[in-house]
Amino acid sequence: AQKVTQAQTEISVVEKEDVTLDCVYETRDTTYYLFWYKQPPSGELVFLIRRNSFDEQNEISGRYSWNFQKSTSSFNFTITASQVVDSAVYFCALSEELSGGGADGLTFGKGTHLIIQP
Amino acid sequence: GAVVSQHPSRVICKSGTSVKIECRSLDFQATTMFWYRQFPKQSLMLMATSNEGSKATYEQGVEKDKFLINHASLTLSTLTVTSAHPEDSSFYICSASPPPRTQYFGPGTRLTVL
């Protein structure tokens, strides 16, 4: 069975600080996909990144960066120079490859509520 | 990214009535769509996988007779909450996945059952 753990329930930092959101996953599959989504107060989920299990390259997109470490089953997310607009709940999620090659539903972590104070 | 719409965005109904929620993929075809439920301050839980032209696959603990899913075309899936009760009040979100595997989510439907 698959599982995603986001141990940080809530993080509060002052604007311009760097912050890292942790994500640890469990799966028996060798092929799987990891995601990060942002959920602002409006409720809509915003896609941030997808990473497949064969690609361990870290990625940077503006102030966002992701560190994928298969050895520790972690997929951490760092926001550099945080801004008030970054305040939201962030979810890490996992999906496995179906035997027929189709997409599987996502297993979400419990989410981390990030508060950026001005 | 791909666009997924949901309708209605908010619905309030009396206990015992049925409510239909629509999920549409606007700029791509989706043979598979997913339905999730999110209670306040909690995570999203997968309810079922909607398959175009065939029966939906429900997750353990989700009553298929209560949550009817129909995926009649490659761009539309519907979720009907039958005989709704207050405990069904929740935020229902659908997603669809164009290649390659990224799931894009609709804006969600907030259901309140009185």
Side-chain angles (χ1 to χ4, degrees):
Chain A
Q2 50 191 320
K3 184 179 177 182
V4 176
T5 301
Q6 293 179 257
Q8 303 150 311
T9 305
E10 183 174 293
I11 299 175
S12 181
V13 300
V14 177
E15 201 172 20
K16 297 184 183 176
E17 286 185 19
D18 299 347
V19 58
T20 295
L21 310 182
D22 297 333
C23 174
V24 175
Y25 63 91
E26 295 176 30
T27 176
R28 292 178 183 162
D29 275 19
T30 55
T31 302
Y32 53 89
Y33 303 86
L34 294 164
F35 303 82
W36 275 95
Y37 289 89
K38 175 182 181 179
Q39 188 177 42
S42 63
E44 186 162 359
L45 281 158
V46 178
F47 166 75
L48 296 178
I49 190 171
R50 177 185 65 91
R51 179 59 88 228
N52 72 47
S53 52
F54 298 110
D55 182 3
E56 280 194 77
Q57 278 193 347
N58 292 328
E59 181 155 338
I60 298 174
S61 176
R63 296 184 296 107
Y64 295 171
S65 62
W66 291 269
N67 186 322
F68 178 26
Q69 299 267 350
K70 283 181 78 171
S71 60
T72 55
S73 297
S74 66
F75 186 41
N76 297 338
F77 172 32
T78 297
I79 301 175
T80 304
S82 60
Q83 299 176 1
V84 173
V85 294
D86 296 326
S87 298
V89 179
Y90 290 85
F91 289 99
C92 180
L94 166 75
S95 75
E96 296 174 339
E97 183 96 339
L98 294 178
S99 57
D104 193 10
L106 296 177
T107 296
F108 282 85
K110 292 187 183 297
T112 297
H113 184 196
L114 179 62
I115 301 168
I116 310 296
Q117 299 180 22
Chain B
V3 181
V4 177
S5 71
Q6 260 183 263
H7 178 80
S9 58
R10 186 181 294 269
V11 59
I12 301 173
C13 68
K14 292 182 179 179
S15 186
T17 60
S18 293
V19 174
K20 180 187 283 189
I21 303 169
E22 293 186 349
C23 176
R24 293 181 188 272
S25 55
L26 298 185
D27 51 0
F28 64 97
Q29 293 184 330
T31 55
T32 303
M33 290 183 174
F34 302 91
W35 287 96
Y36 297 81
R37 180 168 55 184
Q38 184 181 30
F39 290 109
K41 297 191 186 300
Q42 294 189 23
S43 187
L44 286 82
M45 297 297 292
L46 178 66
M47 297 175 65
T49 302
S50 172
N51 303 299
E52 189 268 335
S54 64
K55 289 182 179 180
T57 306
Y58 291 83
E59 295 300 301
Q60 196 171 11
V62 178
E63 299 174 58
K64 62 181 182 183
D65 294 330
K66 178 156 190 69
F67 299 99
L68 300 180
I69 291 172
N70 183 279
H71 195 150
S73 78
L74 288 172
T75 59
L76 173 64
S77 174
T78 60
L79 168 69
T80 301
V81 183
T82 62
S83 186
H85 289 284
E87 57 265 30
D88 298 323
S89 297
S90 186
F91 191 52
Y92 292 88
I93 314 174
C94 71
S95 73
S97 180
R101 293 278 192 285
T102 297
Q103 286 193 26
Y104 290 93
F105 287 82
T109 297
R110 194 164 300 282
L111 171 64
T112 303
V113 184
L114 303 176

